[in-house]
Amino acid sequence: MMAPSRLIVVLVSTLALLFFSHEEAGEIGVNYGMVGGDLPDPASVVRLLRKSGITSVRLYDANATVLKALANTGIKVMVMLPNHELAAMAAAPSHALRWVRSNVAVHYPATQIGLVDVGNEVFLKDKNLTPQLVPAMINVHAALVRLGLDAAVKVSTPLALTALEESWPPSSGRFRDDIAQSVMKPMVDFLRRTGSYLSISAYPFFAYIAQPDKISLDYALGNPNPGVRDDNTGLMYHSLLDAQLDATYFAMEKLESASMVLADSKDTSATPGVYPSETGFPSYGRPTPTPPSPSGGARRLRAARDGCPAASVANAQAYNNNLINRVLSGATGTPYRPDADMDMHIFALFNENLKGDRPDDVEQFFGLFYPNMTKVYDFDFHRAALASWCVANASAGAAALQAALDYACGHGADCGAIQPGGTCFEPKDKLAHASYAFNSYYHHNGRARGTCDFHGAAYVVYHEPAGNCDPNASRCVANAAAGEKALQEALDYACANGADCSAIQRCGPCFEPNNVVAHASYAFNSYYQRKGRARGTCDFAGAGSVVYRAPSESTR
């Protein structure tokens, strides 16, 4: 029986300290690229941003027309100094001052510029400019200081993950020898000294297509998955993006700067934050086989699994919605830095038809919107309260799960339903009961940051877990006895009248199991939830019925 018992005092105090560090959520924004011949004008784009609830945008230049269009909108803006300007910026502080005056000061504060990116993936795209990068950053910052803008406008530079010599396990993360001490050490010191952060271009998509036999798709997308353990630290990773972020944190600590407080002291507050300035997933296209991958090797174009391409609408929707939900819910920490805050910027706002080397190049299909400003798939930046669940981490072990379960039930979780005879007592196993208690505690505390950790015994997911039991909620499932014909007709109706059925299309994350009962249950529930679970919206002429437990994987 999983009834509450006395919790070890040490664990109580440790958990209590962990749980009530409620910080503000980070910002989720977009990258506004303009490498397309059919893109809308900037004024129309700004109206689209505001209508969509997008509050932060990153540019690849300092286009005056765009910056003027963004004035007085409240949208936060990041501008970029192009790579071809780096040498001049590094050589002459006066040149940096003129650039900042003309491209930042003239627009601020009407346009809320908060960051200048100095260059873009210099180590990857313009290696010859590597020695000029940090001097250019220093001179741009000095110009901001001279103009009184340094408190409001920070300086950074986006790094491709090719800057890392090793990235797995994350604790082995380190920068390449040719840049570690000569460039990254002074850069990290500069970022720390000026209160800025390190920007990285992190693309789990490219890591996945390079090694689909070693990386699971759910792990790359950030969907619920068993996780991967870093054996050096014992930390569990359920997201490839988190692993990339933590590899970068470990790489910074290995620089051994005397002016930084390193991990050995258990105080990492002096290490700059790591923000994904670019991350995303394509909805279509073929990768180019030749450019380097984030792990440093060549991108190897692998055959699609089961005829399903990695670049698909369903996968792009899953990855980017997971990002949006995660940031807006405040879950911006990583396994190594659970209290870290970060902003993320999705690449990209539009599909850009002039990118890449051929008409079907995957680089053209990272957009959230088509150039006509219609969505490529459904997403929502507006939502203040997003669906999320706290689930037990099976790898934590029975003792840790029991201790955390006892804590949750003793500190606000409503555990009556998992007592004998309760609505959610079955299945009678520790993992199911712990997930129920953790989720109750998490929601009891308003899904606040840090309230779904339990010393590594739990983690947050954004898709309702299979077998989830909520006595206060309901879902709609297919009635197999109705017969395939009736189920197919009802399924077609639900998909045509408001249900989001993209996930059950071929290659979608819920396509398997490929049977009419599973697909109908998915469609019926989507329709039912979108109609606010109103009476009569889960009937479908007898083909659907209401239940209070999420169905098993075989019937989802």
Side-chain angles (χ1 to χ4, degrees):
M1 173 180 166
M2 308 304 155
S5 63
R6 175 174 290 183
L7 182 64
I8 299 171
V9 174
V10 174
L11 184 57
V12 172
S13 59
T14 303
L15 291 172
L17 287 172
L18 285 172
F19 293 163
F20 295 100
S21 175
H22 303 168
E23 301 178 19
E24 293 184 5
E27 189 104 29
I28 183 75
V30 297
N31 286 271
Y32 175 17
M34 290 180 278
V35 187
D38 53 357
L39 299 179
D41 63 273
S44 297
V45 171
V46 170
R47 287 193 293 271
L48 177 66
L49 293 171
R50 300 183 77 176
K51 177 182 176 182
S52 303
I54 297 171
T55 58
S56 182
V57 63
R58 180 172 172 265
L59 309 178
Y60 289 90
D61 53 23
N63 185 298
T65 302
V66 175
L67 291 173
K68 288 176 183 176
L70 287 162
N72 304 308
T73 62
I75 295 172
K76 298 177 183 178
V77 184
M78 278 128 275
V79 298
M80 181 176 290
L81 184 150
N83 287 0
H84 67 263
E85 295 266 17
L86 280 179
M89 291 292 168
S94 59
H95 188 85
L97 181 62
R98 285 194 297 273
W99 190 92
V100 171
R101 268 206 184 104
S102 300
N103 294 280
V104 178
V106 72
H107 299 287
Y108 185 87
T111 303
Q112 293 190 9
I113 300 172
L115 180 80
V116 176
D117 275 327
V118 175
N120 186 32
E121 299 182 352
V122 171
F123 305 150
L124 175 64
K125 297 178 178 178
D126 291 287
K127 296 178 183 178
N128 60 308
L129 294 173
T130 294
Q132 281 78 45
L133 180 55
V134 175
M137 295 171 70
I138 291 170
N139 285 345
V140 169
H141 174 73
L144 290 166
V145 171
R146 183 166 174 181
L147 296 172
L149 295 174
D150 57 301
V153 185
K154 300 302 178 183
V155 174
S156 188
T157 187
L159 303 185
L161 285 184
T162 51
L164 295 179
E165 184 69 32
E166 292 186 45
S167 60
W168 182 260
S171 57
S172 296
R174 64 184 179 90
F175 291 110
R176 295 188 336 235
D177 292 342
D178 62 314
I179 59 172
Q181 294 298 318
S182 60
V183 183
M184 291 310 304
K185 180 178 179 292
M187 182 190 297
V188 170
D189 285 344
F190 166 80
L191 297 171
R192 174 190 48 76
R193 187 173 66 252
T194 60
S196 190
Y197 55 84
L198 187 65
S199 299
I200 64 169
S201 300
Y203 286 94
F205 168 76
F206 289 116
Y208 169 71
I209 63 169
Q211 296 182 305
D213 52 334
K214 296 181 180 178
I215 298 173
S216 80
L217 181 58
D218 282 334
Y219 178 64
L221 294 175
N223 286 339
N225 63 85
V228 185
R229 181 186 293 275
D230 181 335
D231 290 333
N232 295 330
T233 61
L235 295 172
M236 286 294 296
Y237 288 86
H238 299 276
S239 159
L240 178 52
L241 178 61
D242 276 350
Q244 293 174 334
L245 291 167
D246 277 355
T248 309
Y249 276 120
F250 277 103
M252 283 197 289
E253 292 180 4
K254 287 184 177 69
L255 295 174
E256 298 182 346
S257 170
S259 59
M260 289 172 56
V261 181
L262 300 180
D264 289 342
S265 69
K266 307 302 180 186
D267 180 1
T268 55
S269 60
T271 307
V274 179
Y275 289 12
S277 56
E278 272 191 31
T279 188
F281 217 92
S283 60
Y284 181 73
R286 290 191 298 155
T288 302
T290 51
S293 73
S295 61
R299 291 180 188 167
R300 300 186 300 280
L301 183 57
R302 299 292 186 89
R305 288 181 172 176
D306 303 319
C308 295
S312 70
V313 168
N315 289 342
Q317 181 179 26
Y319 183 81
N320 286 325
N321 274 306
N322 283 340
L323 288 183
I324 294 168
N325 293 352
R326 172 181 177 170
V327 175
L328 293 186
S329 69
T332 54
T334 66
Y336 186 52
R337 296 292 180 86
D339 295 325
D341 195 9
M342 73 178 81
D343 296 339
M344 294 191 193
H345 285 78
I346 293 172
F347 183 82
L349 185 58
F350 295 109
N351 283 347
E352 300 170 62
N353 65 1
L354 299 182
K355 292 183 70 70
D357 300 321
R358 55 176 184 260
D360 64 346
D361 196 303
V362 74
E363 301 283 351
Q364 299 177 11
F365 299 101
F366 276 83
L368 295 171
F369 292 92
Y370 295 108
N372 65 4
M373 297 192 289
T374 60
K375 290 181 176 180
V376 177
Y377 43 81
D378 191 41
F379 58 86
D380 191 353
F381 284 79
H382 285 106
R383 290 171 288 183
L386 297 157
S388 59
W389 292 262
C390 184
V391 298
N393 181 359
S395 66
L401 287 175
Q402 184 65 58
L405 166 59
D406 293 343
Y407 178 90
C409 291
H411 290 80
D414 180 0
C415 296
I418 55 174
Q419 302 308 311
T423 310
C424 300
F425 182 68
E426 297 293 343
K428 185 184 175 182
D429 68 77
K430 196 183 302 291
L431 195 64
H433 285 195
S435 285
Y436 181 93
F438 296 169
N439 193 53
S440 176
Y441 180 91
Y442 175 60
H443 283 82
H444 175 77
N445 286 288
R447 295 184 297 180
R449 188 171 176 178
T451 59
C452 178
D453 181 82
F454 300 95
H455 228 36
Y459 60 98
V460 175
V461 298
Y462 300 98
H463 299 277
E464 186 172 8
N468 178 61
C469 181
D470 185 348
N472 300 310
S474 60
R475 58 187 300 119
C476 185
V477 298
N479 179 5
E484 287 200 7
K485 184 175 184 295
L487 288 175
Q488 187 63 57
E489 289 176 354
L491 166 60
D492 293 341
Y493 175 86
C495 292
N497 288 274
D500 180 0
C501 296
S502 59
I504 55 175
Q505 304 305 309
R506 180 168 179 77
C507 301
C510 298
F511 179 73
E512 296 294 345
N514 181 18
N515 63 68
V516 71
V517 175
H519 287 193
S521 286
Y522 185 96
F524 292 176
N525 190 55
S526 176
Y527 181 89
Y528 176 63
Q529 301 296 334
R530 288 192 168 205
K531 298 295 183 181
R533 301 198 297 257
R535 185 173 180 178
T537 57
C538 179
D539 182 77
F540 301 99
S545 58
V546 175
V547 298
Y548 292 91
R549 184 188 296 276
S552 67
E553 290 294 346
S554 62
T555 58
R556 284 180 79 83

